[in-house]
């Protein structure tokens, strides 16, 4: 009979007259090994699920790396023909936006003018004024620290221009709404302002961008208007028309089609072609400058959250905490989906402006707003539940994990 002992036993044996040691494994070491394998399997599965939820950010990183490795593929005149493919991709994005916008929500929440006024004025007026003033101050400081005309100076000035561009962007269509719903706050108001911000962004943001960058005289006006009309306005109108004419219940129908993922994948392609054009020339940005920009934007986002909360709660004391959550997310978040196509349309033909450089703050701000917003979900839920005005009677919350609820 075989006797299993609680420890590993080394017994001498001989094979073909030669002695050697045979190690007999104990059941305890076998159990530990199985537990380690199971733990590693669970950790890998959890890591894979996290990567699936954040696939867009990972795809952007891969696209930039691929553009750096082989910029000739996606640059102007390359085999991907970006001069034809990119305008088509932009039109597809805004067609999807038109199909996704729920115009009925505009009617349901149109009377909540205090929320709408606060969000739109803060997002499209106050934020650009404050951020542009701060960027101008940093430019004046850079004139004293760096030598004008050097590569470091040019890179820093371009990034500060990108900060100004970032400030002009409207609220995103999806992320602010999903975070508001995850908290259990006023989702309808968030959806209304995301929709309204998209429409206003198409009209106001291009004018603000041209004014800030000072390129109005260099960009052909008719070409700009034609690009905005054919690639943005017409697809949105077409999408809204198709949504109302062809589908009796469009919300249920579009649940079967991954419109958000299609739009995000198309946006990754646009980002890829932008960086292919940049890397095909001379592109150098110091890593210290990028790290400083990340810290600056994170602190700036926290400052904007406290600022809009203070202004809204002081100007309109009757607003509930549920309303304030919607205001915070919609006022401080910026749309990457609208921003990148607009930059491509407005500055794609300007040789003096590097779209990749001025879009870096927007590309950094996007994951930062998702990360910070996800971290705020739980404390905001507790804060909303203690609201004496509503006594916790708010919108049902998402069951998804905080770091997996946000789409671009």
């Amino acid at each position: 009979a075989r006797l299993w002992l609680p420890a590993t036993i080394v017994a001498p044996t001989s094979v073909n007259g030669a002695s050697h040691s045979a190690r007999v494994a104990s059941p305890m070491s076998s159990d530990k090994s199985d537990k380690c394998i199971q733990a590693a399997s669970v950790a890998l599965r959890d890591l894979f699920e996290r990567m699936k939820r954040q696939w867009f950010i990972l795809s952007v990183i891969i696209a930039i790396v691929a553009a750096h490795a082989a910029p000739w593929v996606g640059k102007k005149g390359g085999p991907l023909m970006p001069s034809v493919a990119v305008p088509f991709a932009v039109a597809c994005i805004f067609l999807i936006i038109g199909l996704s916008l729920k115009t009925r929500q505009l009617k349901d929440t149109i009377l909540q003018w205090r929320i709408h006024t606060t969000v739109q004025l803060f997002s499209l007026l106050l934020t650009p004024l404050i951020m542009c003033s701060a960027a101008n101050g940093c430019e004046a400081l850079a004139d004293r620290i760096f030598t004008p005309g050097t590569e470091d100076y040019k890179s820093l000035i371009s990034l500060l221009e990108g900060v100004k561009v970032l400030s002009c962007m409207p609220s995103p269509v999806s992320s602010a709404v999903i975070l508001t719903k995850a908290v259990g706050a006023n989702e309808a108001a968030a959806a209304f302002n995301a929709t309204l911000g998209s429409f206003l962004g198409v009209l106001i943001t291009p004018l603000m961008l041209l004014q800030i960058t000072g390129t109005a005289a260099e960009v052909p006006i008719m070409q700009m208007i034609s690009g905005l009309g054919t690639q943005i306005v017409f697809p949105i109108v077409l999408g809204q028309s198709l949504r109302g004419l062809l589908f009796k219940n469009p919300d249920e129908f579009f649940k079967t089609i991954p419109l958000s993922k299609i739009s995000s994948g198309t946006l990754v392609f646009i980002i890829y072609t932008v960086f292919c054009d940049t890397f095909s020339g001379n592109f150098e940005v110091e890593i210290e400058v990028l790290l400083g920009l990340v810290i600056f934007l994170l602190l700036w986002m926290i400052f904007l959250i406290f600022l809009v909360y203070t202004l809204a709660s002081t100007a309109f004391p009757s607003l509930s905490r549920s309303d304030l959550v919607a205001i915070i997310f919609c006022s401080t978040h910026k749309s990457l989906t609208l921003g990148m196509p607009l930059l491509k349309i407005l500055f794609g033909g300007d040789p003096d402006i590097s779209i990749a450089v001025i879009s870096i703050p927007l590309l950094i701000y996007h994951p930062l707003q998702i990360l910070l917003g996800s971290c705020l979900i739980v404390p905001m839920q507790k804060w909303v539940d203690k609201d004496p005005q509503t006594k916790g009677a708010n919108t049902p919350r998402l069951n998804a994990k905080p770091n997996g609820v946000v789409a671009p």
Side-chain angles (χ1 to χ4, degrees), residues 81-154:
M81 296 186 294
S83 59
V84 177
V86 169
F88 179 76
V90 172
C92 286
I93 289 177
F94 285 97
L95 175 63
I96 292 173
I97 290 177
L99 290 170
S100 304
L101 291 178
K102 301 177 182 179
T103 48
R104 290 183 180 178
Q105 291 178 333
L106 305 182
K107 301 177 183 178
D108 297 338
T109 59
I110 195 169
L111 297 180
Q112 298 179 357
W113 62 270
R114 295 177 180 85
I115 300 177
H116 314 325
T117 303
T118 304
V119 170
Q120 302 307 325
L121 288 180
F122 190 89
S123 178
L124 294 175
L125 180 61
L126 188 58
T127 298
L129 286 175
I130 298 176
M131 291 189 75
C132 289
S133 299
N136 289 332
C138 292
E139 288 180 357
L141 184 62
D143 291 336
R144 298 183 179 183
I145 298 177
F146 298 93
T147 303
T150 61
E151 291 299 324
D152 291 341
Y153 177 82
K154 291 180 180 178

Side-chain angles (χ1 to χ4, degrees), residues 155-271:
S155 298
L156 181 58
I157 295 300
S158 296
L159 289 175
L160 290 174
E161 288 290 319
V163 171
K164 297 178 185 178
V165 167
L166 166 66
S167 69
C168 300
M169 297 300 162
S171 301
V173 176
S174 57
S175 61
V177 180
I178 297 175
L179 285 170
T180 302
K181 184 176 182 179
V183 173
N186 194 339
E187 179 195 356
F192 178 93
N193 282 280
T195 305
L196 181 61
S198 297
F199 283 117
L200 292 178
V202 172
L203 301 174
I204 298 175
T205 299
L207 300 177
M208 297 174 65
L209 291 177
L210 294 175
Q211 181 65 32
I212 287 174
T213 57
T215 58
E218 300 176 11
V219 178
I221 299 299
M222 293 306 299
Q223 179 181 346
M224 182 194 72
I225 295 176
S226 175
L228 291 174
T230 58
Q231 298 177 43
I232 296 181
V233 178
F234 175 72
I236 290 179
V237 174
L238 178 61
Q240 283 288 283
S241 301
L242 293 176
R243 178 184 174 89
L245 294 176
L246 300 182
F247 308 105
K248 294 182 179 179
N249 194 346
D251 293 335
E252 292 297 326
F253 176 78
F254 288 126
K255 285 181 180 179
T256 62
I257 303 176
L259 292 178
S260 177
K261 291 185 178 180
I262 296 174
S263 177
S264 300
T266 307
L267 183 59
V268 170
F269 171 75
I270 295 174
I271 294 172

Side-chain angles (χ1 to χ4, degrees), residues 9 22 27 65 87 91 109 125 128 144 157 174 191 240 252 309 324-325 339 352 357 363 369 379 393 400:
I9 299 176
V65 172
T109 59
L125 180 61
R144 298 183 179 183
I157 295 300
S174 57
Q240 283 288 283
E252 292 297 326
Y309 167 75
L324 290 173
V325 170
D352 297 328
V357 178
L363 291 171
Q369 69 187 11

